[in-house]
Amino acid sequence: MIRNRGVSDAMTPRHTAAEQAAQQAAQAPALTVDALGKKCPIPIIMLAEQINHVPLNAVVSVLADDPAAFTDIPAWCRLKSHHHVGSYELPQGGWAIHVRRNY
Amino acid sequence: MAYFDAASTEPLHPRAREALTAALDAGWADPARLYGPARRARMLLEQARAEVAEVLGCRPDEVSFTTSGTQAVHLGVLGVLRGRRRAGRRLVVSAVEHSSVLHSGEVHEREGGTVETVGVGLTGVVDLAAFGEAVRAEGTALACLQSANHEVGTLQPVAEAAALCAGAGVPLLVDAAQTVGRMPASPGWSVLTASAHKWGGPAGVGVLAVRKGVRWRGPLPQDERENRVPGFENVPAIVAAAAALRAAAAEAEQEGARLSALVDRIRAEVPRLVPDVEVIGEPVARAPHIVTFSCLYVEGEALLMELDKAGFAVSSGSSCTASTLRPSHVLEAMGVLTHGNVRVSLPRGASGADVDRFLSVLPDAVRRIREEAGVKS
């Protein structure tokens, strides 16, 4: 299963070179939430539940393929004052959307 | 049922109903013929055209009647692109235009043209600097900017965009479907499109206004009938549309202010009454009747059903409520929450009591859906 491979192998960055470099320097996700096949708002409900299970400043990676999640998870971060680190395309479709717990 | 979906369609204005009934008797004949009833139909049609032109602030011979606002956009966009083919093949649009604009752009691309999409900020206002840069680029044939967004109500800086376009010698098409009959049109447009059923006229009548001097070449086979639009004119519906527009425009200042105050109430109360809500769009520079908000952790369709059961007709840009599986391109472009989305758009005469009742049922509806989804508050 591709999903079980190392996260960086499975991801194609869709942001600038500077962001890619920053991403590579950043820590690996402390937790992966598999919301593939789930429709919004379920991926966000899962993220909201799980984010408190990682330490402060740790990263949660949400795997999602509902197009709404691509917009809604960064919007959730803005509303909830967490940090959207970046969104990375998965080879099988969908994204790994990285969120850093701020509080 | 409290009807709060005026941005989809406004109920028929009483003036339109009266005019329609009268014109079905007086304006049924072929306005292209020369006998008495035909001349009467022609007179009614030209009178309606003059009335619409007066509200838009243009000449009657610049106004054509189409069969819908969508058709007006299709003919406006594709007609100018054809007419200005020698100027270039670039079309500039904002990212939050109505789908009729974006679909016209897709046709243009299939025919070898290019489309540049200019982004918007968090409240949905187009990036004016980027828009100016885009229209100044070599080979730009046409730019399109809506007067107000149909999903979130945000007003666009049309006068400023028109000045940028004039400076670049590029015509500007303004899709004014959400504002005609509610607000005066911003000056400076080259082409303006609108839809009668959005201002209280009947469905089946759109307006395409093309200023003198704008090169336009029709994409459809032409005939000798309505200028720019082939086919037999629906004179009674056009007469009713013009009557509704005159009435709506006359009431607009007062009724708009009243509806705008109700929208302000919704904008202020929803985040106070419902936790985890984002109210979307420009708070002040907005259409008077539209307000949109998104509720975290709520499925849009479930919320529409709950509100329908409680007696409210509203709409949503959430993906699960659309015919496609994609969320609204408007909400995506703004970068705001797309799920749990509700658009309230108040028709003429919407009552403060109905708005209050909406505000009283909304918090429980949201709470129930969140509970069923297992969301801990």
Side-chain angles (χ1 to χ4, degrees):
Chain A
M1 281 291 287
I2 292 164
R3 230 178 284 166
N4 294 335
R5 283 160 54 184
V7 176
S8 58
D9 293 340
M11 295 187 302
T12 315
R14 51 174 292 138
H15 286 279
T16 64
E19 282 170 326
Q20 279 176 47
Q23 170 57 24
Q24 276 153 17
Q27 75 269 41
L31 180 67
T32 297
V33 175
D34 184 353
L36 291 167
K38 303 268 198 305
K39 295 280 168 216
C40 263
I42 294 167
I44 301 204
I45 293 174
M46 293 167 78
L47 169 62
E49 272 174 11
Q50 299 285 319
I51 194 145
N52 295 326
H53 297 169
V54 301
L56 279 186
N57 297 316
V59 169
V60 176
S61 174
V62 184
L63 308 182
D65 51 13
D66 180 2
F70 185 75
T71 304
D72 284 15
I73 291 177
W76 179 86
C77 291
R78 179 170 51 72
L79 294 172
K80 287 291 178 185
S81 304
H82 289 297
H83 180 64
H84 173 233
V85 179
S87 300
Y88 311 93
E89 273 176 22
L90 299 172
Q92 75 272 34
W95 305 269
I97 306 171
H98 286 200
V99 174
R100 188 161 60 232
R101 183 181 173 186
N102 273 354
Y103 58 89
Chain B
M1 169 67 75
Y3 181 77
F4 286 172
D5 196 20
S8 290
T9 191
E10 172 82 8
L12 197 66
H13 194 287
R15 293 289 92 70
R17 185 182 300 273
E18 291 162 17
L20 185 60
T21 313
L24 283 170
D25 288 330
W28 56 271
D30 184 346
R33 302 292 172 248
L34 296 175
Y35 38 82
R39 289 201 306 274
R40 197 157 63 229
R42 168 61 61 185
M43 200 196 68
L44 287 171
L45 177 61
E46 295 313 321
Q47 176 65 29
R49 195 187 313 276
E51 289 171 6
V52 170
E54 191 185 339
V55 172
L56 299 182
C58 66
R59 291 165 40 155
D61 60 356
E62 294 171 330
V63 172
S64 307
F65 293 107
T66 64
T67 59
S68 68
T70 292
Q71 191 195 39
V73 167
H74 292 168
L75 292 175
V77 172
L78 297 176
V80 175
L81 288 171
R82 282 180 164 232
R84 284 181 44 84
R85 203 170 168 138
R86 271 190 279 172
R89 312 279 329 258
R90 269 170 52 85
L91 169 67
V92 173
V93 302
S94 91
V96 295
E97 295 301 304
H98 186 263
S99 57
S100 57
V101 173
L102 303 182
H103 290 322
S104 300
E106 287 162 15
V107 169
H108 180 56
E109 281 180 321
R110 282 202 293 277
E111 291 172 351
T114 59
V115 178
E116 183 169 343
T117 304
V118 179
V120 300
L122 198 57
T123 61
V125 180
V126 71
D127 179 341
L128 206 50
F131 194 83
E133 205 173 307
V135 297
R136 280 190 298 271
E138 189 66 25
T140 303
L142 174 66
C144 299
L145 186 62
Q146 61 197 185
S147 57
N149 186 267
H150 49 295
E151 288 188 33
V152 302
T154 296
L155 292 180
Q156 299 294 349
V158 168
E160 291 85 343
L164 292 170
C165 286
V170 170
L172 176 67
L173 182 148
V174 175
D175 166 15
Q178 288 302 339
T179 55
V180 168
R182 300 181 190 275
M183 309 172 78
S186 292
W189 52 268
S190 315
V191 178
L192 183 140
T193 60
S195 172
H197 73 90
K198 307 268 195 210
W199 70 59
V205 180
V207 171
L208 170 64
V210 181
R211 298 314 295 261
K212 283 278 166 278
V214 176
R215 296 182 71 91
W216 186 91
R217 196 157 66 84
L220 298 178
Q222 292 298 290
D223 60 16
E224 299 71 38
R225 293 191 159 275
E226 181 70 13
N227 183 24
R228 299 194 175 94
V229 186
F232 187 93
E233 302 88 340
N234 185 346
V235 174
I238 290 169
V239 168
L245 180 57
R246 269 169 61 116
E251 299 161 355
E253 204 176 323
Q254 210 175 357
E255 181 64 358
R258 194 183 69 80
L259 295 180
S260 190
L262 295 176
V263 163
D264 278 337
R265 194 190 301 173
I266 296 171
R267 291 189 70 98
E269 289 298 303
V270 165
R272 206 177 61 77
L273 296 168
V274 183
D276 289 326
V277 163
E278 177 173 37
V279 181
I280 288 163
E282 273 292 313
V284 178
R286 56 169 174 75
H289 60 305
I290 301 176
V291 49
T292 294
F293 54 87
S294 292
C295 306
L296 262 180
Y297 316 128
V298 168
E299 198 198 337
E301 186 176 11
L303 187 48
L304 291 204
M305 308 275 270
E306 283 282 328
L307 291 171
D308 180 48
K309 269 190 274 174
F312 293 95
V314 296
S315 99
S316 168
S318 294
S319 52
C320 50
T321 64
S323 48
T324 64
L325 288 174
R326 291 202 68 81
S328 137
H329 72 276
V330 171
L331 303 178
E332 274 187 340
M334 292 168 68
V336 296
L337 220 54
T338 70
H339 73 260
N341 181 259
V342 173
R343 178 186 69 185
V344 174
S345 53
L346 302 176
R348 168 181 173 279
S351 78
D354 278 345
V355 167
D356 286 340
R357 198 167 69 78
F358 176 78
L359 291 170
S360 74
V361 305
L362 179 71
D364 268 351
V366 172
R367 191 178 43 75
R368 273 198 300 277
I369 294 165
R370 283 178 177 160
E371 272 175 13
E372 277 167 31
V375 177
K376 301 172 199 81
S377 47

